[in-house]
Amino acid sequence: MLAKRIIPCLDIDAGRVVKGVQFVDIRDAGDPVEAARRYNEQGADEITFLDITATSDDRDTIVRVVEQVASQVFIPLTVGGGIRTVSDIRRLLNAGADKVGINSAAVKQPEFVREASDKVGSQCIVLSIDARRVVSTDNETPRWEIFTHGGRRSTGIDAVEWATRMVRYGAGEILLTSMDCDGTRNGFDLKLTRTVCDAVDVPVIASGGVGNLDHLAAGVTEGGADAVLAASIFHFGTYTIQQAKEYMTDKGIEVRL
Amino acid sequence: MKVAIIDYGMGNLRSVSKAVQQVAENADVRTTDNCTYIKSADRIVFPGQGAARDCMAAISDHRLSQAILEAAQNKPFLGICMGLEVLMRYSCENNGTNLLNLIPGEAVRFPHDLNLNGRKLKVPHIGWNQVMQTMEHPLWNNIENGSRFYYVHSYYIKLEDASIQSGQTDYGIPFTCAIARDNLFAVQFHPEKSAHAGLRLLKNFIEWDI
């Protein structure tokens, strides 16, 4: 049976891991290669790099980071953040990334997703959605709106409609982050996760809000997610990926052990 | 030892090359579309990603059909993902595409109504799934039966001659994920992205004495 995936996420700024990764015996907490290697050893199914570099000069460094990681870590790598053109995508894929996450560029120009998936294949294109719950007209059916620019800019676009449209355009996977839950450590927005999972035929990665292992499991059992992404619980050494997998196994979830 | 990773412009081969280098330290590993090098190589890795028609067009543009078919006859040859599919006769992708016709069989899409315990299964099949070894083979050496490998694909192959199936995976339906015939071995999953099990398979390939 296909395993549910656990994906640690590393925020990268100018080629360095920000927040640091607090592994017990890591020499350099800011070195993406070392962090990625450690996650791989713990059994991560995939690693996501989120490039939060602000200046365009420093953006080339993410390509070098991917090159270095991909030379030593033989699991799938996804890179998101600031990707605007097909040539940005190609550079990352050629450096060893397997998938790229597209967010703001898709909102700005939805055809970009079609063009990108045509050129490099749907399997490489992950649509990143930052969604926030909004009050609906009937006050009952929950509704979510997508936000761009790290959740700062409202778009008025309905998240579920957006997801289905982008899949139609060729997105091969959806990375779904709840802005309401992100950073709270109170767990995923399970209703959002479930709604999007049911609406699309491609895999959905739940993200935003994980504070404990039960949250990860709930993302799968209640949210219906195909993969779960978390940053801080792994960064700060609260749990290892291995512990997360053992916990999920106990909950009857199929994982790669 | 010379290892040729055949490059016909379909997808990133850097990871394949790095993974092979990792397990074959003293080998000369080259990503190439040079027929002379391919002819002289001791091992051939034939990767690929993308749509069937584009792959066939790229193979033809690079004038590689002959070199690929020849290599597949006489030395250790490892097909990966599309590198397995294009060995077949025909793919249903792109409204039907003729392939290299080395292996009797075809590539078909996962059905739209795949489900497991009533829940709809997503296509592409992305992630780590178990590989059941259906044949004893040197490439499975030291890989536990049922090990998980990383997949990304929407099409799978249907063989006419089931006896060359060397591995099977279940995704709503059981499908052939590996084949073996003489000097040829080909897999649907990505060994270069499958951590320890994948590197072991690549190492077995490098050490394979046909």
Side-chain angles (χ1 to χ4, degrees):
Chain A
M1 199 157 107
L2 185 65
K4 298 296 179 183
R5 285 168 281 157
I6 297 184
I7 307 174
C9 177
L10 293 167
D11 285 359
I12 308 288
D13 187 1
R16 302 282 292 169
V17 178
V18 289
K19 290 190 215 169
V21 182
Q22 299 178 359
F23 293 121
V24 191
D25 49 353
I26 199 164
R27 280 163 305 178
D28 177 0
D31 178 11
V33 179
E34 220 175 326
R37 199 192 295 144
R38 190 53 53 92
Y39 280 141
N40 177 40
E41 281 163 15
Q42 288 185 3
D45 296 310
E46 202 170 308
I47 296 173
T48 291
F49 296 94
L50 184 61
D51 184 20
I52 58 168
T53 307
T55 64
S56 54
D57 287 355
D58 286 339
R59 297 203 58 90
D60 288 349
T61 51
I62 190 71
V63 176
R64 288 196 292 278
V65 166
V66 173
E67 272 176 5
Q68 286 168 12
V69 173
S71 305
Q72 300 181 39
V73 176
F74 298 101
I75 57 174
L77 307 173
T78 303
V79 183
I83 293 160
R84 290 184 183 85
T85 63
V86 171
S87 93
D88 290 343
I89 296 174
R90 282 205 201 279
R91 285 177 70 212
L92 288 165
L93 296 179
N94 287 335
D98 297 279
K99 304 186 255 191
V100 293
I102 298 175
N103 188 341
S104 303
V107 176
K108 200 171 164 201
Q109 197 193 358
E111 288 294 326
F112 176 51
V113 169
R114 207 195 294 268
E115 186 197 352
S117 59
D118 266 1
K119 293 270 165 61
V120 300
S122 287
Q123 80 284 349
C124 298
I125 304 298
V126 181
L127 180 78
S128 297
I129 297 180
D130 290 340
R132 203 185 283 278
R133 203 181 272 250
V134 290
V135 180
S136 55
T137 40
D138 61 4
N139 251 334
E140 273 172 31
T141 333
R143 225 175 63 74
W144 298 267
E145 200 177 289
I146 56 167
F147 282 69
T148 58
H149 299 82
R152 293 187 305 275
R153 198 173 295 178
S154 156
T155 64
I157 302 168
D158 180 81
V160 180
E161 275 171 32
W162 179 242
T164 51
R165 180 172 171 209
M166 287 297 99
V167 168
R168 220 166 46 237
Y169 281 25
E173 197 163 38
I174 289 177
L175 169 57
L176 180 64
T177 304
S178 158
M179 300 305 298
D180 302 300
C181 299
D182 203 25
T184 64
R185 300 187 171 222
N186 289 329
F188 296 120
D189 182 338
L190 294 171
K191 189 93 187 164
L192 167 68
T193 309
R194 172 56 77 185
T195 307
V196 173
C197 282
D198 287 346
V200 298
D201 289 338
V202 301
V204 173
I205 304 162
S207 155
V210 174
N212 61 44
L213 299 182
D214 203 42
H215 294 152
L216 287 176
V220 173
T221 54
E222 292 172 52
D226 301 279
V228 286
L229 180 141
S232 51
I233 62 161
F234 299 131
H235 288 170
F236 300 123
T238 324
Y239 303 101
T240 64
I241 307 250
Q242 186 65 27
Q243 283 172 320
K245 289 192 163 181
E246 283 161 9
Y247 185 87
M248 287 171 87
T249 303
D250 287 345
K251 294 278 168 184
I253 299 168
E254 191 97 6
V255 293
R256 176 178 73 107
L257 285 172
Chain B
M1 179 190 288
K2 286 162 85 172
V3 183
I5 296 169
I6 300 182
D7 181 9
Y8 50 107
M10 292 304 286
N12 156 48
L13 305 182
R14 197 170 181 278
S15 300
V16 178
S17 158
K18 288 288 172 190
V20 171
Q21 281 169 21
Q22 178 94 2
V23 298
E25 273 176 33
N26 300 316
D28 172 13
V29 181
R30 277 193 220 176
T31 302
T32 180
D33 67 347
N34 180 311
C35 292
T36 315
Y37 188 83
I38 292 170
K39 260 194 174 82
S40 71
D42 307 291
R43 298 274 186 286
I44 303 292
V45 179
F46 181 47
Q49 53 176 252
R53 177 168 301 158
D54 293 346
C55 280
M56 288 307 292
I59 289 169
S60 151
D61 286 350
H62 288 253
R63 302 174 194 283
L64 281 170
S65 309
Q66 203 49 43
I68 292 167
L69 289 172
E70 245 176 66
Q73 302 293 348
N74 61 27
K75 51 192 158 200
F77 184 101
L78 178 65
I80 297 174
C81 196
M82 273 312 281
L84 160 68
E85 289 180 35
V86 298
L87 300 177
M88 301 296 124
R89 185 174 52 223
Y90 176 82
S91 171
C92 298
E93 196 171 10
N94 307 121
N95 297 316
T97 306
N98 287 321
L99 304 173
L100 291 174
N101 197 18
L102 188 73
I103 307 279
E106 56 182 34
V108 298
R109 194 187 184 279
F110 281 116
H112 288 277
D113 56 354
L114 267 189
N115 70 82
L116 184 72
N117 307 326
R119 191 150 273 286
K120 197 170 177 215
L121 293 176
K122 311 277 175 117
V123 178
H125 173 221
I126 298 184
W128 299 78
N129 208 336
Q130 287 177 292
V131 171
M132 296 303 158
Q133 300 163 12
T134 55
M135 177 197 288
E136 276 198 31
H137 196 282
L139 264 74
W140 295 136
N141 278 351
N142 294 306
I143 296 173
E144 210 176 311
N145 195 11
S147 293
R148 288 181 188 276
F149 287 84
Y150 186 76
Y151 284 91
V152 187
H153 64 129
S154 300
Y155 287 75
Y156 65 96
I157 60 154
K158 276 186 167 169
L159 294 173
E160 272 165 35
D161 173 9
S163 74
I164 64 167
Q165 172 180 280
S166 56
Q168 193 180 61
T169 287
D170 203 285
Y171 190 56
I173 46 169
F175 69 91
T176 298
C177 66
I179 63 170
R181 190 177 78 181
D182 308 324
N183 58 306
L184 183 148
F185 199 90
V187 295
Q188 184 74 65
F189 50 81
H190 290 271
E192 77 280 12
K193 287 289 166 180
S194 296
H196 298 300
L199 291 176
R200 183 69 228 192
L201 187 132
L202 292 174
K203 189 170 163 59
N204 291 341
F205 174 67
I206 294 299
E207 290 169 355
W208 187 17
D209 196 8
I210 55 169

